[in-house]
Amino acid sequence: IEVSHEALIREWARLAEWLHEARVDIPLQQAISADAAEWERRGRPEDRVYSGTELAEAQDWAERNVPSVEEMTFLNASAAEHERKEKLEQSRQVRELKLKRQTVNRLRGLVAILSLFLVASIVFASVLQLLRLQDDMDKLAAVTQAQNASSRALAANADFALSQHQLDLALLLSVRANQTANTYEARDSLLSALQDSPQIVTMLRSGAQNPIG
């Protein structure tokens, strides 16, 4: 019998596996039974049930063995609590994902608003610069027109002085007219005053009679 017993253990792998599982299951069954009794004694609190690896090992043991009613009730409560916590965790993850998406959408909206504000600011600054440039050009044009009008008025006064044989005054007015603005009237009045000036005529004639060189 001893020889047959040793041979069975050595040669029959399935029997050796059963014996190994039995040696592992005995202390595990004792622990599960004690934990189930303690859980029952405390009024079945949720924080005394199995979870994680401990629950997985106990469920594997229950599949290989026949647990008592008390042990099965304890394991079922552990599985239900584990499932409840998983659902809560999934709900939490869904809420976090929803919050993250809302945050991202808000940030995108804020970026879009800031971008529009930046574009509007650039456009406003460009329009303002153009308006200032246009205003400067208008002012310059107004100053130019005023200078041209003043130059023409001085030229008209020079022509009038020349017609009254006030040659010196005509020369001064025509020179001033040309200094104010280079208008046709200013140039014409200065030329007329120079042509009627005896000093200029004498100087020109002297220069013609005694050419340089």
Side-chain angles (χ1 to χ4, degrees):
I1 291 174
E2 288 182 2
V3 172
S4 299
H5 179 265
E6 295 298 330
L8 285 173
I9 295 175
R10 183 176 62 253
E11 300 299 336
W12 192 6
R14 182 58 178 167
L15 177 60
E17 183 180 348
W18 286 343
L19 292 173
H20 175 72
E21 290 178 354
R23 284 195 293 270
V24 174
D25 286 348
I26 290 173
L28 182 58
Q29 186 275 331
Q30 292 174 347
I32 293 173
S33 180
D35 292 336
E38 180 68 14
W39 173 71
E40 191 70 36
R41 186 183 68 81
R42 289 177 176 270
R44 300 184 176 185
E46 295 178 352
D47 59 342
R48 301 290 297 184
V49 297
Y50 286 168
S51 62
T53 304
E54 192 176 29
L55 176 60
E57 290 179 351
Q59 288 175 331
D60 290 341
W61 170 83
E63 291 178 357
R64 298 191 301 267
N65 298 275
V66 182
S68 65
V69 175
E70 187 179 50
E71 292 168 348
M72 200 65 212
T73 302
F74 174 68
L75 293 179
N76 288 337
S78 298
E81 180 62 18
H82 178 71
E83 183 178 357
R84 186 185 71 85
K85 289 181 178 179
E86 282 191 338
K87 288 181 179 179
L88 288 176
E89 179 63 19
Q90 291 176 356
S91 299
R92 185 188 65 81
Q93 292 178 357
V94 170
R95 288 195 301 270
E96 287 185 354
L97 181 60
K98 185 177 180 180
L99 288 174
K100 289 180 180 178
R101 288 177 178 175
Q102 290 177 350
T103 302
V104 170
N105 291 334
R106 289 174 182 173
L107 289 175
R108 288 177 178 173
L110 181 60
V111 169
I113 292 173
L114 291 176
S115 299
L116 290 175
F117 179 76
L118 179 60
V119 171
S121 299
I122 293 174
V123 172
F124 178 76
S126 299
V127 172
L128 184 61
Q129 185 66 25
L130 289 174
L131 291 175
R132 288 177 179 174
L133 181 60
Q134 184 63 41
D135 185 60
D136 292 341
M137 293 177 64
D138 292 342
K139 289 180 179 178
L140 180 61
V143 170
T144 302
Q145 291 178 357
Q147 289 176 342
N148 290 338
S150 178
S151 175
R152 292 188 181 96
L154 290 170
N157 291 332
D159 291 339
F160 178 76
L162 186 62
S163 66
Q164 299 297 318
H165 305 289
Q166 298 176 351
L167 184 59
D168 294 339
L169 179 59
L171 283 171
L172 290 174
L173 290 172
S174 60
V175 169
R176 184 57 180 169
N178 279 273
Q179 290 175 344
T180 301
N182 186 23
T183 60
Y184 169 78
E185 291 81 0
R187 294 193 302 271
D188 184 67
S189 65
L190 179 59
L191 181 60
S192 298
L194 291 174
Q195 288 177 348
D196 291 346
S197 175
Q199 295 88 347
I200 297 300
V201 173
T202 303
M203 185 182 300
L204 291 176
R205 289 177 178 175
S206 298
Q209 294 176 358
N210 301 300
I212 299 175

